[in-house]
Amino acid sequence: MQIGAIEAGGTKFICGIGNEKGEIKDQISFPTEEPERTLEQALEYFRDKSVEAIGIGSFGPINLDHFSPGYGHVTTTPKPGWTGFDFIGYIKRAYPVPIGFDTDVNAAVFGEAKWGAAKGLDSCVYYTIGTGVGVGVYTEGKLVHGLVHPEGGHVMIRRHSEDSFGGLCPYHGDCLEGMASGPAIEKRWGVKGSELPGDHKAWEMEAYYLAQAISGVILLLSPKKVILGGGVMHQKQLFPLIRKGVAHNLNGYVASPAILDDIDHYIVPPALGDNAGLCGALALGIEAAGQ
Amino acid sequence: MQIGAIEAGGTKFICGIGNEKGEIKDQISFPTEEPERTLEQALEYFRDKSVEAIGIGSFGPINLDHFSPGYGHVTTTPKPGWTGFDFIGYIKRAYPVPIGFDTDVNAAVFGEAKWGAAKGLDSCVYYTIGTGVGVGVYTEGKLVHGLVHPEGGHVMIRRHSEDSFGGLCPYHGDCLEGMASGPAIEKRWGVKGSELPGDHKAWEMEAYYLAQAISGVILLLSPKKVILGGGVMHQKQLFPLIRKGVAHNLNGYVASPAILDDIDHYIVPPALGDNAGLCGALALGIEAAGQ
């Protein structure tokens, strides 16, 4: 079985080919430009690959309502040309195969649930902390969509007592994304996070915010694994700080050994590393092929 | 089909009989005392009813892990005699029929999804705001359990700028339950909420806290309906205040007409009223009968 996978990110497209075991056999990447220009490169890549299905994990917001005429379209985005673009339709005209389509973070959480850090579990959440903060939710063996799709990067959080930064989110100011995204770190401290030393105050503050959001998701959904990826999480010193913050916030209330005794294996990086998104798109393609 | 239903609350047990249409034909209630004493009354009630299955929505925390030897037990509770009590086992020895078992709030959300305010929808959340704050989550057509079960009443919230009350939660102090439960209202203002006038400052503050939590759940799960029940929500003036707070918090970000244009039908009281819990227990019994 040969399945196509597209990780459609806001700045970069990755296209690949894989099989039903989650093995990516080949991949390329190119910058995200205007939709036709970008997708022509994707179509060209799949030209000689005989794909039986294609899975797409896309930046958003996107329309995932199967009963809507706009299903498979990008909805509103500042990205030139993409607002209202019929993503699935464009692919389908060239390759009339089954197409799986979901958000980039839902793809990533799906990949991790199938082959990664949450393999064999029926629930997990995936945070990507980078240019923005995104959350994919997998629970009771299903990806969560609901009315639109999860946008858990925008939850309200309590301010750190020493933080006077106003927040960057154009909608909510000092929501999680506004305070804890990569650009927020850069704006607050005047340099990129990657240039700050590992013991800088910035990381304690970052962990404080992420631990709050993660504590909230644990209380609300009781996920069996919490997976943290994205550029900011390349700062590995964040993991112990976040685990400590979550344990402090929950204060023993969620009485599960996974949290009380083994939090080091409960809040973890993606096992698929930076391939979580592409593997997830592959998983979406496999699922579409089976339907 | 004759199905038994038990709404096992912390202060009151309600037992009833119903059918697969969600019609409750008969019910009784009695105070929650020590487990044997309480359950003997339930068993006596079902004695001549020829039930084919029994559904139970129980106060918690309870063990819902089917793979655990403690499945169906109450775990740890200050309630005398209930810690470690084998709830399902006790019922099953008297009535060896299929038994559905879940939290009281999951039962309520399930009842509302089957026959109430979220009928026909595949996702909704149910908050009960009373002695405590509980949350039941139904998403992609399934009740959410995860590692333990949702305990979304304990999420962290931002303090209202005029609120100096310390919060009542023994675990988290000023979490949602600590600040917005019925006892928190009574402690903060010195009188029961039901004795405060409808335009008292207390309700603006209460709505402020609930709107925060609800905004968070909308961002994280994008539920198709938000249902608010429990004693505190008998204060109907809270609904418009909460809707306004949620719209303010989201600030147009979740671009769904259900929220942007029709929030009055999106954040609603339970359609089953105070019967949501018992109807939900009935739904759990029906589901168990079908398995």
Side-chain angles (χ1 to χ4, degrees):
Chain A
M1 207 188 215
Q2 180 113 310
I3 306 286
I6 302 176
E7 183 184 358
T11 54
K12 190 172 70 170
F13 258 59
I14 306 176
C15 295
I17 291 289
N19 62 21
E20 66 277 22
K21 295 178 200 154
E23 293 160 347
I24 303 282
K25 297 182 220 165
D26 182 65
Q27 59 177 283
I28 56 157
S29 91
F30 42 89
T32 305
E33 300 173 280
E34 299 213 349
E36 284 81 3
R37 194 185 167 101
T38 312
L39 287 189
E40 272 315 314
Q41 293 179 75
L43 296 182
E44 181 55 37
Y45 173 74
F46 292 122
R47 190 94 45 205
D48 57 352
K49 307 280 195 304
S50 325
V51 293
E52 292 172 49
I54 297 175
I56 305 167
S58 175
F59 71 90
I62 54 180
N63 184 332
L64 294 176
D65 177 1
H66 284 268
F67 301 105
S68 150
Y71 173 71
H73 294 216
V74 178
T75 56
T76 50
T77 167
K79 217 163 277 302
W82 285 93
T83 292
F85 181 71
D86 180 6
F87 200 144
I88 291 188
Y90 198 90
I91 300 281
K92 208 140 192 161
R93 277 191 291 280
Y95 300 103
V97 296
I99 294 184
F101 186 66
D102 215 314
T103 63
D104 43 6
V105 276
N106 264 357
V109 76
F110 199 36
E112 288 291 326
K114 278 202 89 143
W115 303 301
K119 189 176 169 180
L121 302 180
D122 64 1
S123 72
C124 60
V125 295
Y126 179 96
Y127 280 80
T128 176
I129 304 112
T131 313
V133 178
V135 187
V137 181
Y138 181 73
T139 183
E140 302 289 327
K142 298 204 167 206
L143 289 169
V144 169
H145 301 108
L147 210 52
V148 185
H149 45 68
E151 285 286 0
H154 290 264
V155 295
M156 286 168 86
I157 44 166
R158 286 185 196 171
R159 280 184 161 277
H160 189 286
S161 60
E162 296 168 47
D163 192 7
S164 59
F165 178 60
L168 273 187
C169 177
Y171 287 88
H172 314 110
D174 58 359
C175 68
L176 178 67
E177 178 169 300
M179 297 301 268
S181 66
I185 298 172
E186 185 175 351
K187 187 85 187 283
R188 182 188 287 110
W189 302 103
V191 290
K192 280 186 190 302
S194 55
E195 292 165 25
L196 292 168
D199 59 355
H200 192 279
K201 179 82 191 165
W203 305 119
E204 185 238 302
M205 213 173 260
E206 180 73 9
Y208 175 80
Y209 291 130
L210 292 172
Q212 268 191 60
I214 293 162
S215 304
V217 97
I218 291 170
L219 287 162
L220 197 60
L221 291 174
S222 222
K224 293 182 179 170
K225 199 72 83 174
V226 176
I227 305 163
L228 308 179
V232 171
M233 294 310 301
H234 288 166
Q235 301 285 333
K236 296 300 177 200
Q237 72 278 12
L238 281 171
F239 281 93
L241 294 173
I242 291 169
R243 291 176 189 129
K244 199 175 149 196
V246 167
H248 174 265
N249 292 344
L250 296 179
N251 196 22
Y253 187 74
V254 180
S256 166
I259 299 174
L260 296 178
D261 307 328
D262 200 20
I263 199 166
D264 289 357
H265 296 106
Y266 179 66
I267 299 175
V268 297
L272 305 172
D274 292 334
N275 259 337
L278 192 63
C279 287
L282 177 60
L284 292 172
I286 293 166
E287 193 185 52
Q291 276 166 356
Chain B
M1 206 188 215
Q2 180 111 310
I3 305 285
I6 302 175
E7 183 183 357
T11 54
K12 190 173 69 171
F13 257 59
I14 306 176
C15 295
I17 291 290
N19 63 20
E20 66 276 23
K21 293 179 203 156
E23 293 160 348
I24 303 283
K25 298 183 223 167
D26 182 66
Q27 60 177 284
I28 57 158
S29 92
F30 42 87
T32 305
E33 300 174 280
E34 298 211 352
E36 285 82 2
R37 192 185 169 102
T38 312
L39 288 189
E40 272 315 315
Q41 294 178 73
L43 296 182
E44 182 54 37
Y45 174 74
F46 292 122
R47 191 99 40 209
D48 57 352
K49 307 281 197 301
S50 323
V51 292
E52 291 173 51
I54 297 174
I56 304 166
S58 176
F59 71 90
I62 54 180
N63 184 330
L64 294 175
D65 177 1
H66 285 266
F67 301 104
S68 151
Y71 172 71
H73 295 216
V74 177
T75 58
T76 50
T77 166
K79 215 163 278 301
W82 285 93
T83 293
F85 180 71
D86 180 4
F87 201 144
I88 291 188
Y90 198 89
I91 299 280
K92 207 140 193 161
R93 276 192 293 280
Y95 299 102
V97 296
I99 294 184
F101 187 65
D102 216 314
T103 64
D104 43 7
V105 276
N106 264 357
V109 77
F110 198 35
E112 288 291 325
K114 278 202 88 143
W115 304 301
K119 189 175 170 182
L121 302 180
D122 64 359
S123 72
C124 59
V125 295
Y126 179 95
Y127 280 80
T128 175
I129 304 113
T131 312
V133 178
V135 187
V137 182
Y138 181 74
T139 183
E140 303 288 327
K142 298 204 168 208
L143 289 169
V144 169
H145 301 107
L147 211 51
V148 185
H149 46 68
E151 285 287 1
H154 290 263
V155 294
M156 286 167 87
I157 44 165
R158 286 185 195 171
R159 281 185 158 277
H160 189 286
S161 60
E162 295 167 48
D163 192 7
S164 59
F165 178 59
L168 274 188
C169 176
Y171 287 87
H172 314 110
D174 57 0
C175 68
L176 178 66
E177 178 169 301
M179 298 301 267
S181 67
I185 296 172
E186 184 175 349
K187 188 84 187 284
R188 182 188 286 110
W189 302 104
V191 290
K192 280 188 191 300
S194 55
E195 292 165 25
L196 292 168
D199 60 354
H200 193 278
K201 179 83 190 163
W203 306 119
E204 185 238 301
M205 213 174 257
E206 180 73 9
Y208 175 81
Y209 291 130
L210 292 172
Q212 266 190 62
I214 294 162
S215 304
V217 97
I218 292 170
L219 286 162
L220 197 60
L221 291 174
S222 223
K224 293 183 182 170
K225 199 72 83 174
V226 176
I227 304 164
L228 308 179
V232 171
M233 294 310 300
H234 288 166
Q235 302 285 332
K236 295 300 175 203
Q237 72 278 12
L238 281 171
F239 280 92
L241 294 172
I242 290 168
R243 291 176 189 129
K244 198 176 150 195
V246 168
H248 174 264
N249 292 343
L250 296 179
N251 197 20
Y253 187 73
V254 180
S256 166
I259 300 173
L260 297 178
D261 308 328
D262 200 20
I263 199 166
D264 289 356
H265 296 106
Y266 180 65
I267 299 175
V268 296
L272 305 172
D274 291 336
N275 259 338
L278 191 63
C279 287
L282 176 61
L284 292 171
I286 293 166
E287 191 185 54
Q291 276 169 355

